[in-house]
Amino acid sequence: MSDPIITLNDVKFSYPTGVEALKGITLEITKGERIALLGPNGSGKSTLILLIAGLLMPNSGEIKVFGEKTNSKNFQKWRSQIGLVFQDPDDQLFTPSVIDDIEYGPKNLKLPPDNIKQQSTQMLEKMNLSHLKSRPPHRLSFGEKKKVSLATALILEPKLLILDEPTANLDLTSRRKLIDTLNELNKTGTTIIISTHDAEAIPELADRIIVISHGLKLAEDKTRDILQNKDMLTQSGLEPPTIVSLFTELKNQDLIQKIPLTLEEGKNELIKILKKTRDIK
């Protein structure tokens, strides 16, 4: 396994109001991983991603990203390598037009104007946003705003992409396109962290899950193992994906050997069961 690009050692954080958001988190994430931070609302996972991105500083403990402490001066040069997509796109989009928002990051880094124009044109095409480039963001649908928010992060070609509740309030088509886009990006070596309470989307978005509950790391394991641990999920205020609950019952009746996590896996298991039933007859 390669060296971690993110390390947290006993990280604690409290807000000025006195709310203790994180109570001592230790974890490692290596290059190219797809990680899900899973936890109910208020568990501390959104605070955790802001700390990893360097937008908040821990009260105690240490955070290193790309080998640099996030509270060091040297970390500033790595900020452009971190893409952050907020849960609410209105927190991210603030310029008069879509194209202005997409070009804001490259312009802030003072990249050559010709490069910015070329990159923004390519990003608009890739995200199917070309027809919206002159529209004010507040006139877009929620799904369109989500895509623009993602585009503002991707245009800088980040080595680390962090997304807060990326599938929230998306229709099925937008959800599918988002999942495909993130997985294509991961194939190029980008490390992806998603913070979510949507267990249904995780099987296609993450290889490993870190469960956050009441400001603590409750569990950490491969996606399949976490999502099949119903008792632990219930303890965390979460539910396993519907397909896992359904096929767990079939496994308990010895009708299947392996519990599927996705619809495609579930379809294949059902076909096997039907074939067995037909052969018995």
Side-chain angles (χ1 to χ4, degrees):
M1 182 178 290
S2 59
D3 293 333
I5 65 168
I6 299 170
T7 60
L8 280 77
N9 184 22
D10 196 24
V11 171
K12 298 177 182 178
F13 181 85
S14 295
Y15 287 97
T17 56
V19 175
E20 190 178 15
L22 298 178
K23 303 174 183 177
I25 298 286
T26 297
L27 58 85
E28 290 186 351
I29 297 173
T30 58
K31 179 182 178 181
E33 279 199 284
R34 298 185 306 159
I35 298 292
L37 301 176
L38 179 62
N41 291 330
S43 61
K45 60 188 188 298
S46 292
T47 300
L48 179 55
I49 63 173
L50 293 176
L51 285 161
I52 292 173
L55 298 181
L56 294 176
M57 294 298 136
N59 297 131
S60 64
E62 182 182 86
I63 304 173
K64 284 187 177 181
V65 180
F66 302 122
E68 297 286 353
K69 295 181 181 180
T70 56
N71 57 2
S72 69
K73 290 184 178 179
N74 288 335
F75 180 68
Q76 301 303 317
K77 65 183 180 182
W78 290 102
R79 285 187 180 276
S80 64
Q81 299 298 316
I82 302 174
L84 178 62
V85 181
F86 293 102
Q87 177 180 355
D88 186 348
D90 289 329
D91 292 337
Q92 191 150 353
L93 307 177
F94 56 89
T95 67
S97 69
V98 167
I99 189 65
D100 288 335
D101 264 313
I102 291 175
E103 292 183 347
Y104 180 83
K107 286 180 177 178
N108 195 44
L109 292 175
K110 296 181 172 55
L111 299 182
D114 288 345
N115 288 7
I116 293 175
K117 185 172 181 58
Q118 181 182 13
Q119 289 176 329
S120 62
T121 299
Q122 291 174 347
M123 184 55 60
L124 286 166
E125 292 174 354
K126 179 178 181 179
M127 301 298 291
N128 194 25
L129 293 168
S130 298
H131 61 297
L132 299 174
K133 69 177 184 178
S134 299
R135 292 272 297 276
H138 70 270
R139 298 292 298 274
L140 304 179
S141 69
F142 188 85
E144 289 169 340
K145 289 179 182 179
K146 280 270 194 178
K147 287 201 292 184
V148 176
S149 295
L150 182 58
T152 64
L154 295 185
I155 193 168
L156 293 175
E157 300 179 342
K159 295 181 179 180
L160 170 63
L161 181 62
I162 306 171
L163 305 100
D164 193 5
E165 301 288 357
T167 59
N169 301 312
L170 288 183
D171 59 57
L172 291 177
T173 300
S174 298
R175 178 190 178 105
R176 178 74 264 158
K177 287 181 179 178
L178 173 68
I179 291 172
D180 290 343
T181 297
L182 293 179
N183 286 334
E184 286 175 12
L185 185 65
N186 178 250
K187 289 177 183 178
T188 67
T190 301
T191 304
I192 295 177
I193 302 174
I194 63 168
S195 166
T196 186
H197 66 272
D198 180 7
E200 300 285 348
I202 287 179
E204 294 188 88
L205 283 172
D207 305 306
R208 185 160 66 95
I209 296 175
I210 299 170
V211 180
I212 306 296
S213 180
H214 301 292
L216 295 168
K217 183 177 75 174
L218 185 64
E220 178 180 7
D221 212 333
K222 294 178 180 178
T223 295
R224 184 173 298 278
D225 294 329
I226 290 291
L227 294 183
Q228 291 180 21
N229 191 337
K230 185 176 181 180
D231 290 342
M232 184 275 297
L233 291 175
T234 300
Q235 180 185 346
S236 306
L238 301 163
E239 291 185 357
T242 303
I243 195 167
V244 171
S245 298
L246 172 63
F247 280 86
T248 296
E249 183 60 30
L250 295 178
K251 189 174 187 299
N252 290 340
Q253 296 182 32
D254 295 324
L255 292 173
I256 59 172
Q257 299 293 319
K258 182 179 178 182
I259 297 174
L261 296 185
T262 66
L263 288 176
E264 185 65 24
E265 290 179 358
K267 181 185 74 174
N268 292 336
E269 289 297 333
L270 286 176
I271 290 173
K272 290 178 185 177
I273 292 173
L274 291 173
K275 284 182 177 179
K276 285 182 182 179
T277 302
R278 195 178 299 130
D279 292 341
I280 292 173
K281 290 182 178 179

